[in-house]
């Protein structure tokens, strides 16, 4: 007898097959039968609704949050049943007790997590990667979790304070390699790193992985060959070229996930050049994918921590400064001229490209300014836009909240990226940048906006891209498909209503700190391993992947 049966649903199998009407039965956490007129202990009528495998979110940063919040909010409510953590190599294990403060300060800077939240929240019941996974297992999780070995953490563990300052010596690389293999044996899903200039740590220093030379990268990615499995993921800076990554893919025989491919209206071909280079490598038999986002990248920020600008070369002198010294720098004419000059120059990848008409004042002591753009306001005041923004913030103790629509705003282009054969729908960044933006509902946005509203993808294809496609790429066994024997990770939804609602601020982080969230629209049920209740912990720590 089946535990429950979802009846009369439009079944989207995750493989991209044409949808069919039917029933799906679950027993002991697994799909037990798919067919017609099935019976079970509990019957759920799903007439008019669609059923798909739960969403696999392959780019999250829940490493810290999950230690105090095993409910992994808000992802489960948004249809996510499996999340991959440790992206970009920003993990919290391994970590010696003496390095905890440094690791938290780095996360504060690079992933926009409040230091106070991290200090109050993180449970440091581990030092090594195996101990970290064991702790997650012990404490339980609402959704399935798989984790990368993180390059920056390996560097900090082996090189201490030198990690963000220099290339590693041979013996240091050897120790990192041993730790990487230890992590893989403990069930990591692969190895993650970043070479992106947008990734800066405490005191404005680069995140440690950015200091790795090619030899270190070859050696560490090469360890995956020895492990015999695992994915290499990196968030690349403009100087990291696809041919080098193809070389790593060829030498290791492992898939390579290349992030973050976001469309930039001031350099509109760059992302397509990368996707074409990746497709060409695929034609030569290498497994590479380009990680793209289906969400416009728009960020709330204040000048206290303006992530939007911190990747600029000309902003670096301001990064380590605090208080009066920082404010003096923001006032400095030479500093402002340098920022203006840099924004004039073309760039391969740059978060902010002087689109002042896409920077809006969200909250200001001057209520008149709210909901107007810096472009408009500066023109009206007869001032330069950078001067206008900085002077406004300086006059309000830097508390002015701005929003910038940065990348991925050209819908024609993003539609093309979504259909590109070399792309992977990704980059929710869930768990990070909590006060800047929230794309944890990226899957619902794909189904609502891109499928229903814009018709850029067929529903069955969109579902495949959120489920079996990442499962296959990452070697996640037995998930992402509606077939008997597969885990009952499911999302029941109304295709006519599915989407994500307007973002709003809630204050539920440790210490009452704020984060942005978006409600789920049109979602009628989410099951993880056959369990529907989102307040329970039916998830598994995934530690066994296919090669
Ligand atoms: Zn990331």
């Amino acid at each position: 007898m089946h535990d429950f049966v979802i009846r009369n649903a439009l079944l989207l199998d995750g493989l991209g097959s044409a949808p069919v009407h039917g029933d799906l039965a679950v027993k002991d956490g697994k799909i037990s039968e798919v067919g017609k007129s099935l019976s079970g202990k509990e019957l759920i009528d799903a007439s008019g609704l669609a059923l798909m495998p739960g969403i696999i979110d392959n780019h999250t940063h829940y490493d810290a949050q999950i230690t105090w919040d095993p409910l992994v909010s808000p992802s489960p409510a948004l249809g996510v049943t499996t999340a991959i953590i440790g992206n970009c190599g920003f993990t919290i294990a391994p970590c010696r007790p003496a390095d905890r403060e440094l690791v938290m300060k780095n996360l504060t800077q690079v992933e926009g997590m409040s230091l106070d939240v991290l200090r109050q929240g993180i449970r440091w019941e581990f030092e090594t990667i195996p101990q970290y996974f064991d702790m997650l297992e012990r404490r339980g999780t609402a959704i399935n979790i798989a984790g990368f070995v993180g390059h920056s953490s390996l560097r900090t563990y082996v090189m201490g304070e030198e990690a963000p300052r220099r290339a590693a010596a041979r013996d240091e690389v050897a120790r990192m390699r041993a730790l990487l293999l230890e992590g893989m044996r403990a069930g990591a899903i692969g190895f993650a790193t970043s070479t992106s200039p947008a990734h800066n740590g405490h005191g404005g220093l680069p995140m440690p992985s950015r200091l790795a030379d090619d030899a270190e990268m070859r050696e560490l990615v090469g360890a995956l060959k020895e492990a015999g499995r695992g994915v290499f993921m990196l968030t690349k800076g403009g100087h990291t070229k696809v041919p080098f990554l193809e070389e790593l893919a060829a030498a290791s025989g492992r898939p390579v996930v290349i992030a973050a491919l976001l469309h930039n209206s001031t350099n509109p071909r760059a992302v397509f050049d990368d996707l074409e280079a990746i497709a060409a490598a695929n034609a030569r038999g290498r497994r590479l994918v380009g990680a793209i986002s289906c969400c416009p990248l728009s960020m709330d920020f204040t000048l206290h921590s303006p992530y939007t600008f911190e990747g600029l070369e000309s902003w670096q002198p301001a990064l380590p400064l605090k208080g009066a010294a920082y404010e003096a720098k923001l006032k400095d004419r030479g500093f402002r001229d340098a920022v203006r000059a840099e924004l004039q120059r073309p760039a391969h990848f740059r978060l902010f490209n002087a689109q002042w008409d896409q920077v809006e004042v969200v909250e200001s002591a001057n209520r008149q300014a709210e909901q107007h753009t810096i472009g408009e306001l500066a023109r009206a005041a007869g001032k330069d836009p950078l001067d206008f923004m900085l002077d406004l913030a300086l006059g309000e103790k830097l508390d002015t909240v701005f929003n910038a629509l940065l990348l991925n705003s050209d819908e024609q282009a993003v539609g093309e990226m979504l259909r590109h054969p070399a792309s992977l729908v990704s980059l929710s960044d869930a768990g990070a940048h909590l006060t800047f933006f929230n794309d944890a509902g990226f899957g619902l946005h794909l189904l609502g906006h891109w499928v229903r509203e814009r018709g850029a993808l067929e529903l069955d294809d969109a579902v495949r891209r959120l489920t079996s496609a990442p499962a296959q790429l990452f070697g996640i066994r037995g998930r992402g498909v509606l077939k008997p024997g597969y885990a009952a990770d499911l999302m029941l939804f109304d295709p006519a209503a599915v989407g994500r609602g307007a973002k709003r601020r809630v204050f539920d982080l440790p210490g009452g700190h704020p984060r942005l969230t978006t409600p789920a629209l049109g979602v009628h049920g989410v099951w993880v391993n056959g369990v529907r209740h989102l307040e329970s912990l039916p998830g598994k720590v995934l530690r066994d992947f296919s090669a």
Side-chain angles (χ1 to χ4, degrees):
M1 185 71 137
H2 304 302
D3 293 339
F4 66 91
V5 175
I6 300 171
R7 300 187 77 168
N8 305 316
L10 183 70
L11 300 172
L12 293 145
D13 68 1
L15 295 168
S17 317
V20 293
H21 283 275
D23 303 350
L24 180 138
V26 173
K27 186 172 172 57
D28 299 332
K30 295 208 163 148
I31 297 169
S32 42
E33 198 175 345
V34 179
K36 296 255 186 224
S37 310
L38 304 181
S39 55
K41 290 178 210 159
E42 187 196 349
L43 300 178
I44 297 159
D45 179 30
S47 307
L49 301 178
L51 186 67
M52 63 178 268
I55 294 163
I56 296 176
D57 185 346
N58 64 77
H59 193 118
T60 81
H61 293 280
Y62 281 126
D63 303 65
Q65 182 185 323
I66 194 173
T67 71
W68 74 78
D69 173 28
L71 295 176
V72 207
S73 58
S75 283
L78 296 162
V80 172
T81 56
T82 297
I84 301 178
I85 62 176
N87 277 275
C88 312
F90 307 146
T91 53
I92 58 171
C95 182
R96 293 181 214 286
D99 292 331
R100 287 174 187 167
E101 190 68 11
L102 173 63
V103 165
M104 290 190 286
K105 284 179 170 166
N106 279 341
L107 285 178
T108 299
Q109 184 67 38
V110 75
E111 294 295 354
M113 301 174 181
S114 150
L115 184 58
D116 193 42
V117 169
L118 296 175
R119 281 182 179 149
Q120 291 191 44
I122 297 180
R123 294 185 177 236
W124 291 102
E125 298 166 17
F126 60 88
E127 175 168 329
T128 66
I129 297 171
Q131 287 166 355
Y132 175 75
F133 288 145
D134 289 347
M135 179 190 80
L136 297 189
E137 231 158 44
R138 224 171 31 243
R139 291 185 35 81
T141 158
I143 58 177
N144 307 304
I145 294 290
F148 281 111
V149 174
H151 192 178
S152 282
S153 299
L154 295 185
R155 274 187 142 249
T156 300
Y157 196 77
V158 169
M159 300 170 70
E161 292 199 341
E162 293 288 289
R165 297 176 196 276
R166 61 168 173 84
R170 286 188 71 92
D171 64 313
E172 290 166 332
V173 174
R175 281 158 63 203
M176 285 189 245
R177 193 177 194 279
L179 290 165
L180 196 168
L181 285 169
E182 178 188 67
M184 291 304 294
R185 280 192 299 275
I189 197 164
F191 173 62
T193 190
S194 167
T195 62
S196 169
H199 285 153
N200 297 295
H202 180 53
L205 291 170
M207 281 302 278
S209 61
R210 289 179 53 198
L211 275 291
D213 56 18
D214 288 358
E216 177 177 335
M217 284 291 183
R218 283 195 186 95
E219 190 64 20
L220 294 179
V221 179
L224 294 179
K225 184 183 172 83
E226 186 179 329
R229 59 169 195 83
V231 170
F232 172 51
M233 100 57 66
L234 94 162
T235 297
K236 80 177 185 75
H239 59 286
T240 307
K241 303 291 183 207
V242 174
F244 176 62
L245 301 173
E246 179 179 358
E247 181 202 318
L248 295 179
S252 65
R254 304 312 312 162
V256 178
V257 173
I258 303 170
L261 304 189
L262 293 160
H263 188 259
N264 178 343
S265 300
T266 61
N267 191 357
R269 289 310 305 171
V271 69
F272 292 105
D273 291 345
D274 279 341
L275 285 170
E276 286 314 310
I278 292 168
N282 290 338
R284 290 185 285 269
R286 321 290 180 222
R287 282 186 292 169
L288 291 83
V289 293
I292 64 162
S293 171
C294 66
C295 304
L297 183 62
S298 105
M299 275 196 182
D300 282 10
F301 69 94
T302 68
L303 266 296
H304 288 295
S305 171
Y307 193 83
T308 317
F309 302 105
E310 287 173 353
L312 295 175
E313 194 65 42
S314 52
W315 202 271
Q316 302 311 303
L319 266 188
L321 303 179
K322 294 231 172 330
Y326 175 58
E327 292 196 18
K329 180 59 79 179
L330 296 183
K331 282 197 193 95
D332 181 71
R333 169 89 9 221
F335 171 75
R336 293 182 179 190
D337 286 343
V339 173
R340 271 187 280 269
E342 181 173 357
L343 290 174
Q344 291 299 313
R345 293 195 293 272
H348 181 82
F349 175 83
R350 185 163 62 204
L351 266 183
F352 181 62
N353 294 282
Q355 299 114 309
W356 294 107
D357 287 316
Q358 295 179 22
V359 181
E360 196 182 88
V361 178
V362 178
E363 276 175 32
S364 166
N366 171 10
R367 304 301 294 268
Q368 307 284 348
E370 290 180 5
Q371 275 151 45
H372 292 282
T373 70
I374 294 297
E376 281 175 278
L377 294 165
R379 278 191 295 276
K383 284 178 80 170
D384 170 83
L386 179 70
D387 288 335
F388 185 92
M389 181 190 70
L390 294 177
D391 291 342
L392 176 64
L394 284 163
E396 303 182 350
K397 300 195 178 97
L398 308 186
D399 291 337
T400 324
V401 181
F402 301 94
N403 178 276
L405 177 54
L406 297 167
L407 299 165
N408 257 22
S409 54
D410 178 337
E411 296 222 305
Q412 185 76 28
V414 176
E416 238 179 275
M417 289 159 63
L418 285 170
R419 289 186 296 267
H420 198 284
S423 72
L424 169 74
V425 183
S426 184
L427 307 181
S428 84
D429 262 345
H433 309 297
L434 297 177
T435 57
F436 297 154
F437 65 93
N438 183 311
D439 288 339
F442 78 107
L444 304 184
H445 187 63
L446 187 75
L447 300 174
H449 182 70
W450 292 103
V451 174
R452 187 183 62 245
E453 290 170 4
R454 288 197 58 97
L457 290 175
E458 293 296 323
L459 182 58
D460 47 31
D461 187 41
V463 168
R464 181 186 66 80
R465 287 167 191 270
L466 295 171
T467 57
S468 77
Q472 248 165 42
L473 176 70
F474 287 92
I476 297 171
R477 288 183 214 265
R479 298 181 191 276
V481 180
L482 298 188
K483 258 193 196 168
Y486 277 71
D489 293 345
L490 308 167
M491 181 170 94
L492 184 64
F493 67 102
D494 178 356
V498 68
R500 58 174 184 169
K503 75 176 179 199
R504 58 195 174 88
R505 234 184 295 186
V506 294
F507 296 82
D508 61 357
L509 289 174
H513 285 272
R515 66 182 171 100
L516 291 168
T517 189
T518 60
L521 303 177
V523 174
H524 288 246
V526 178
W527 288 260
V528 176
N529 296 311
V531 177
R532 189 173 193 170
H533 305 288
L534 296 177
E535 297 298 308
S536 62
L537 303 176
K540 293 185 174 146
V541 179
L542 308 180
R543 302 173 76 160
D544 176 30
F545 304 93
S546 50

